[in-house]
Amino acid sequence: MTSEPTTPPAAPERPELPDHLSVDPRSPHHVAAVFEHDVGIRLNGKERHDVEEYCISEGWVKVPAGKTVDRRGRPLLIKIKGAVEAFYR
């Protein structure tokens, strides 16, 4: 009886983070496979937890504008520009 080295179970493969990503499932920039993992966003070196949408190449994120909502009940978003970095936690 020979014992073969056991390999640890493979970690689930994470998809590459896109340049433009949105939390809203109705958006054409929504990628459901990415949201199966915990995604983090840094804007100008500071981690943000309220980002609804981002674009790395254009350098902006969209975040809710306080408690303000539109007529459909969705939060109004404001665009903040700066150096954007997306990563998996």
Side-chain angles (χ1 to χ4, degrees), residues 18-37:
D19 175 61
H20 191 156
L21 184 65
S22 176
V23 175
D24 186 5
R26 295 170 302 206
S27 171
H29 302 291
H30 180 78
V31 180
V34 170
F35 292 107
E36 294 175 0
H37 309 282

Side-chain angles (χ1 to χ4, degrees), residues 48-53 61-69 74-80:
R48 303 277 313 224
H49 300 283
D50 58 348
V51 174
E52 296 283 325
E53 187 173 352
V61 296
K62 287 187 179 179
V63 296
K67 296 183 180 184
T68 310
V69 294
R74 295 186 296 244
L76 286 178
L77 301 176
I78 58 172
K79 187 185 285 188
I80 303 173

Side-chain angles (χ1 to χ4, degrees), residues 1-6:
M1 179 173 185
T2 61
S3 71
E4 295 180 20
T6 59

